[in-house]
Amino acid sequence: MSAVREQPPEGRYGRSADERADRKLRIAGAVLGVLFLGLIGWFGWYYVVDSKISAEMIKFDVVSDTEVQVHLEIRKDEGLAGVCTLRSRSEDGAEVARKDVVVDDPGGRVDRVYSLRTTARATSAELLGCTTR
């Protein structure tokens, strides 16, 4: 009695269709993976290196029911002008002040206290962000 083979002999008829499809899928996956990593790297580079102005709120002080003082440290390229947006909120979370402050000092580092007029007593202040002009 002889054994019955269900598959052709190895290497006799070339690759099967499944092996070719698997190889194409692996290549497509690798190409898409490299493109995705490149895109993530480009976004990261743009965010970190290309930002020309950045700021940090050092502290804030609620002076009265109608005023908050915000201490900002701003880093930027020399000679560049920008605008930073500040916001203050009351205890219930309502916005009681918003102000765009112009940063036009020629230096690369600006350390300044800004005053915000509020419509009610504020309990917090925050820096929303800075952009170049």
Side-chain angles (χ1 to χ4, degrees):
M1 183 165 175
S2 67
V4 178
R5 286 186 150 175
E6 294 182 15
Q7 295 179 355
E10 289 288 326
R12 186 168 181 179
Y13 298 106
R15 290 186 171 169
S16 71
D18 288 339
E19 289 174 349
R20 280 188 294 255
D22 287 345
R23 180 174 167 80
K24 288 180 184 178
L25 284 175
R26 275 192 229 115
I27 291 171
V31 168
L32 288 175
V34 167
L35 288 175
F36 179 72
L37 289 175
L39 186 66
I40 295 296
W42 182 78
F43 280 131
W45 178 265
Y46 179 79
Y47 181 77
V48 171
V49 174
D50 203 31
S51 61
K52 297 186 181 354
I53 185 169
S54 65
E56 180 181 357
M57 183 175 69
I58 305 301
K59 68 177 184 173
F60 71 92
D61 186 27
V62 179
V63 178
S64 68
D65 287 345
T66 59
E67 185 180 1
V68 174
Q69 290 184 345
V70 179
H71 181 188
L72 289 183
E73 181 181 300
I74 303 160
R75 292 166 302 283
K76 62 184 185 67
D77 293 344
E78 291 196 19
L80 186 73
V83 175
C84 292
T85 303
L86 302 170
R87 174 170 66 179
S88 183
R89 292 184 178 217
S90 65
E91 188 173 352
D92 64 354
E95 185 177 285
V96 294
R98 180 181 287 251
K99 185 175 185 179
D100 290 334
V101 294
V102 177
V103 182
D104 54 1
D105 292 358
R109 182 169 176 249
V110 179
D111 196 3
R112 183 179 288 169
V113 176
Y114 297 97
S115 180
L116 278 77
R117 296 273 180 208
T118 62
T119 57
R121 184 156 186 87
T123 57
S124 69
E126 58 188 322
L127 171 66
L128 296 180
C130 296
T131 59
T132 59
R133 284 209 276 168

